[in-house]
Amino acid sequence: MNNPNFSCSYIRYFQKLTKFVYIITATNFWFKDVKLPNRFVKVYDSVSKFLEAIVIAFVITGFGASYTQKNLSEKQSTDILMKSVSSLFVYTMYGCVVYNKIEIRELLYSLTVSLKEIYNEEVQKQMLMKIKMYMAGLVFVGCCPMTAYGVEGAFYALTSNVTFTTVIPIWPDLEDRSFFAGFARILIYIVWLLMVAHVMAIYSLIICISICLGYQYANLCKYFLDLNTVFDGEGSIEERERRYEEGVKVGIKMHNIILRCVNQMQSSCKIVYGGQILLNVCVMLLLMIQMMQSDRSLPQLAPIVSMAMGVLVSSGLFIWSAGDITVEAGLLPNAMFHSGWHNCRGLSSVRVRKLITFAMNEAQHVVVMKGLGVIELSYDSYIAIVKSSYSVFSIIY
């Protein structure tokens, strides 16, 4: 069942992912140095600090547009609030993950190195397939809103007597038609794209790690179920009992490592999970209000719908991948029970039953990822979170 070459490709996937995240964010989450030319790394690290300062300025000044821009419509005022709130939330989540990069590195080391001892090729193939599917969805919903807002701004700039505006800035004024003001608006749009790219890179890393944790439980379940085959092999019954007992000990060791990884994930990403829930509720509420204030034409509806789709799908990818950890962990006690302990005899049976009882007792503790410290991340909670936005909207309107 084990294929070393496929195992190496699984590690290479995470190496490529963390290299991609480094190129976007200038933060290395891999437990080794990034494989890029030293000169490039030095220059890029310096340039990235300047770009980061610009993004932070963009996020902080977003709320100020409500005071510096005059004669705004209700839709434009709501648009400023929605984009400012969403930018603040997502950049805060990004900053929290960067702050916890040491824990993320340790987590990736455990997932790609420490847990290789119970590697299963079929399970890992399924994991990589799911990761690629989720990443394709994340890239799609990340690009759609940004493209839609850019097309909307260009459409109105070409067909109406208005300036190209995607994000209403603190400066320049919306009616300023000078060349310098137009150039500044294009730069602001690029900075917004850069911020979204930062966040999408971090999202991809967190979602991949969550999927990997869920499949580590699936891998461990398969490992315990396959321990039955020990008694079908060659050798005396005493030799097979010894191999089975050693196998159980390895499984318990791997389970402890996975539990440590889950705790690290919860510790390093608890603010991200909570922030994503708040982001979903707040942005969906503001988008529904904005839709009520718009004239419901295609150019105005396209950005709103694409942003709503982006928020809902990105929240779903977060919550579904975290909820899968709970589902897969819940299958582990049953796999341990059917691992073949009943084939042991005498003193070996006594020792093995104690080990299995201890292992099942630990595995029966429910493993749940939580947002805001109280909201369990699952498919059911996702539906409840989505409904909550409409519930608040229906009370207001």
Side-chain angles (χ1 to χ4, degrees), residues 74-89:
E74 288 185 354
K75 180 181 179 297
Q76 288 175 324
S77 298
T78 306
D79 191 60
I80 290 174
L81 182 59
M82 186 270 294
K83 290 175 181 174
S84 300
V85 168
S86 61
S87 297
L88 180 62
F89 270 116

Side-chain angles (χ1 to χ4, degrees), residues 57-87 149-150 152-153 162-176 181 184-189 192 290 293 300:
F58 168 81
V59 173
I60 294 174
T61 59
F63 293 94
S66 298
Y67 302 97
T68 60
Q69 301 288 353
K70 307 300 180 183
N71 302 319
L72 294 173
S73 65
E74 288 185 354
K75 180 181 179 297
Q76 288 175 324
S77 298
T78 306
D79 191 60
I80 290 174
L81 182 59
M82 186 270 294
K83 290 175 181 174
S84 300
V85 168
S86 61
S87 297
Y149 278 110
E152 180 198 26
V162 298
T163 56
F164 172 76
T165 305
T166 52
V167 180
I168 299 176
I170 193 171
W171 179 90
D173 188 270
L174 290 179
E175 299 303 321
D176 188 346
R185 292 188 189 96
I186 294 174
L187 287 181
I188 289 171
Y189 181 52
W192 191 30
Q290 195 175 43
Q293 297 168 343
Q300 287 196 2

Side-chain angles (χ1 to χ4, degrees), residues 100-168:
N100 292 308
K101 62 183 178 181
I102 302 301
E103 284 189 78
I104 300 294
R105 287 174 184 170
E106 294 174 355
L107 181 54
L108 284 172
Y109 179 84
S110 297
L111 291 174
T112 57
V113 178
S114 301
L115 290 171
K116 284 174 60 179
E117 192 170 349
I118 56 168
Y119 174 80
N120 182 276
E121 180 179 348
E122 190 59 36
V123 173
Q124 302 301 341
K125 281 183 178 179
Q126 295 173 7
M127 182 194 74
L128 287 178
M129 186 180 299
K130 185 172 184 178
I131 285 176
K132 292 175 182 178
M133 181 177 67
Y134 272 44
M135 290 304 98
L138 184 64
V139 171
F140 178 75
V141 300
C143 293
C144 279
M146 309 308 298
T147 303
Y149 278 110
V151 170
E152 180 198 26
F155 175 80
Y156 282 112
L158 294 173
T159 60
S160 306
N161 188 28
V162 298
T163 56
F164 172 76
T165 305
T166 52
V167 180
I168 299 176

Side-chain angles (χ1 to χ4, degrees), residues 126 257 266 299 337 393:
Q126 295 173 7
I257 294 175
Q266 180 69 65
F337 181 79
F393 173 75

